[in-house]
Amino acid sequence: MLQQGHRRRAVLISLLLGIAILLLVAAASLALSGRSARRESGAGRPVITTVLPAEPAAVRPQQDSGPAPDRDLTPNTPSTQELDPFAWRSGSTDRIAFVSNGTDADGDRRIDPVPPLNAKFNLWIMRPDGSEQIQMSDIPGDSREPAIDASRNLFAFANNQTRTWQIYTIDLATKVVRQITTGAGNKRHPTWSPDQNWIVFQSDAAGNWDLWKIRSDGAGAPMQLTTTPEDETDPCWHPRGNTIVFTRKVGAVTRI
């Protein structure tokens, strides 16, 4: 009887040892698999799955695929030019400002198909779907490059009625136009400071294109911001900071 008891204990011990060995082998296999997955996905990164997702295919815009993403918003104007778009939102209302050398003689809020004699560029606005095309300015010379201020009440733009490009503003409600800059040198591409107190523009008054700024009410003399021998053009003031993005021509290339 004692011998049978010893044999039972020996069998039980052997069985427990076998189970323990199997558990150790399984744990080691899982550890090796985890290390392999980490090596494949990048050292130190959390492993979510051993199979990495495929990279999405590059999205290429399709030409002539309308109405989106390349919808023509002014299809009724085959003989006019529409340039310098500027989009903004005021509350829940979206609008697009632009310039056109057309007119709306019949008052249907659509640019007429045929431009008038002695056509010149004026400021216009419209809805994002191209409807409600409304002429905002009608002053001598060409008006170009509209930019709206943070209050969504004033456009700054360039106009050449004096044979030199100067910066002007127009009140969207009253249509009152005010000349902001004067003097020698062309001034183009106005952009507003976030607090609406300043207008930055490019000017060749110092011999080549540099960036300048002036108070938005036209008070005081303009101040030159850049003085390099290269041309600095196309300023755009960040709406939530004190940073101005612009282009600079360096040799034969242009950089941001």
Side-chain angles (χ1 to χ4, degrees), residues 1-12:
M1 293 295 292
L2 290 175
Q3 291 178 352
Q4 289 179 354
H6 284 300
R7 281 197 293 272
R8 290 194 190 97
R9 283 196 297 273
V11 171
L12 181 59

Side-chain angles (χ1 to χ4, degrees), residues 80-149:
T80 63
Q81 295 187 69
E82 284 71 51
L83 308 171
D84 305 337
F86 185 96
W88 81 96
R89 165 165 288 189
S90 180
S92 60
T93 304
D94 292 337
R95 289 291 186 271
I96 297 174
F98 60 101
V99 302
S100 173
N101 64 350
T103 188
D104 180 17
D106 56 9
D108 65 350
R109 295 197 171 188
R110 287 171 62 86
I111 299 172
D112 297 335
V114 179
L117 295 176
N118 302 316
K120 60 186 177 64
F121 285 102
N122 287 299
L123 304 183
W124 291 69
I125 63 172
M126 64 181 171
R127 291 181 178 272
D129 61 0
S131 63
E132 294 191 26
Q133 298 167 0
I134 303 172
Q135 185 174 336
M136 301 301 295
S137 70
D138 187 12
I139 60 176
D142 288 320
S143 297
R144 296 289 307 271
E145 302 145 3
I148 199 167
D149 74 339

Side-chain angles (χ1 to χ4, degrees), residues 110-191:
R110 287 171 62 86
I111 299 172
D112 297 335
V114 179
L117 295 176
N118 302 316
K120 60 186 177 64
F121 285 102
N122 287 299
L123 304 183
W124 291 69
I125 63 172
M126 64 181 171
R127 291 181 178 272
D129 61 0
S131 63
E132 294 191 26
Q133 298 167 0
I134 303 172
Q135 185 174 336
M136 301 301 295
S137 70
D138 187 12
I139 60 176
D142 288 320
S143 297
R144 296 289 307 271
E145 302 145 3
I148 199 167
D149 74 339
S151 71
R152 308 300 190 254
N153 294 321
L154 291 171
F155 275 130
F157 62 98
N159 179 278
N160 66 351
Q161 62 179 293
T162 64
R163 298 188 178 182
T164 299
W165 288 93
Q166 303 288 352
I167 304 300
Y168 297 74
T169 61
I170 182 172
D171 189 295
L172 298 186
T174 65
K175 307 291 182 67
V176 172
V177 176
R178 174 180 292 178
Q179 185 172 346
I180 302 301
T181 63
T182 59
N186 294 293
K187 293 88 173 173
R188 301 292 300 265
H189 289 281
T191 182

Side-chain angles (χ1 to χ4, degrees), residues 181-218:
T181 63
T182 59
N186 294 293
K187 293 88 173 173
R188 301 292 300 265
H189 289 281
T191 182
W192 292 85
S193 65
D195 60 11
Q196 308 170 63
N197 291 330
W198 297 92
I199 295 175
V200 168
F201 54 91
Q202 68 182 63
S203 175
D204 59 2
N208 66 297
W209 290 111
D210 290 299
L211 301 188
W212 297 65
K213 73 174 183 177
I214 191 171
R215 288 188 58 87
S216 57
D217 59 2

